[in-house]
Amino acid sequence: HCDTIKGCTFFGPQHVASGSDDGKIYIWDRETSKIVKVLEGGGSIINSVASHPTCPILASAGINDYALIWNPNGGDKKSGEEERKEIEKLT
């Protein structure tokens, strides 16, 4: 669970995403305030998160010297149609 929330952004009509000191991005449901997805792999503190205006992707920056682009369903093994439906659920 995240101890420090950093750089919140709206992510579609139903969710809010933020970075954290633990190097993960957390995605919350706006109505229930429950975490619905955790994106791992940043490796260091994530200070800032921004969502793309039309695509279901996020960009993050932290204490390292590069930015990361995140696809919330990137690690899932799904067909293209299954992934499209899953992404639509998140946005």
Side-chain angles (χ1 to χ4, degrees):
H1 192 268
C2 62
D3 291 325
T4 304
I5 298 169
K6 296 184 172 194
C8 290
T9 186
F10 289 105
F11 185 54
Q14 188 62 33
H15 297 94
V16 172
S18 80
S20 180
D21 281 345
D22 63 8
K24 299 174 186 171
I25 290 181
Y26 291 85
I27 301 175
W28 283 271
D29 182 283
R30 287 172 52 184
E31 289 183 15
T32 66
S33 301
K34 293 186 183 201
I35 295 172
V36 296
K37 190 124 187 168
V38 178
L39 305 177
E40 299 185 47
S44 65
I45 294 169
I46 296 175
N47 290 321
S48 177
V49 177
S51 62
H52 189 280
T54 58
C55 297
I57 57 176
L58 298 165
S60 70
I63 61 170
N64 44 24
D65 60 353
Y66 54 87
L68 294 172
I69 304 299
W70 302 77
N71 174 346
N73 293 310
D76 297 340
K77 304 270 188 211
K78 297 183 178 169
S79 70
E81 181 65 16
E82 289 173 321
E83 184 168 327
R84 184 187 65 75
K85 288 178 182 176
E86 198 64 31
I87 288 171
E88 286 176 354
K89 289 179 191 174
L90 282 177
T91 58

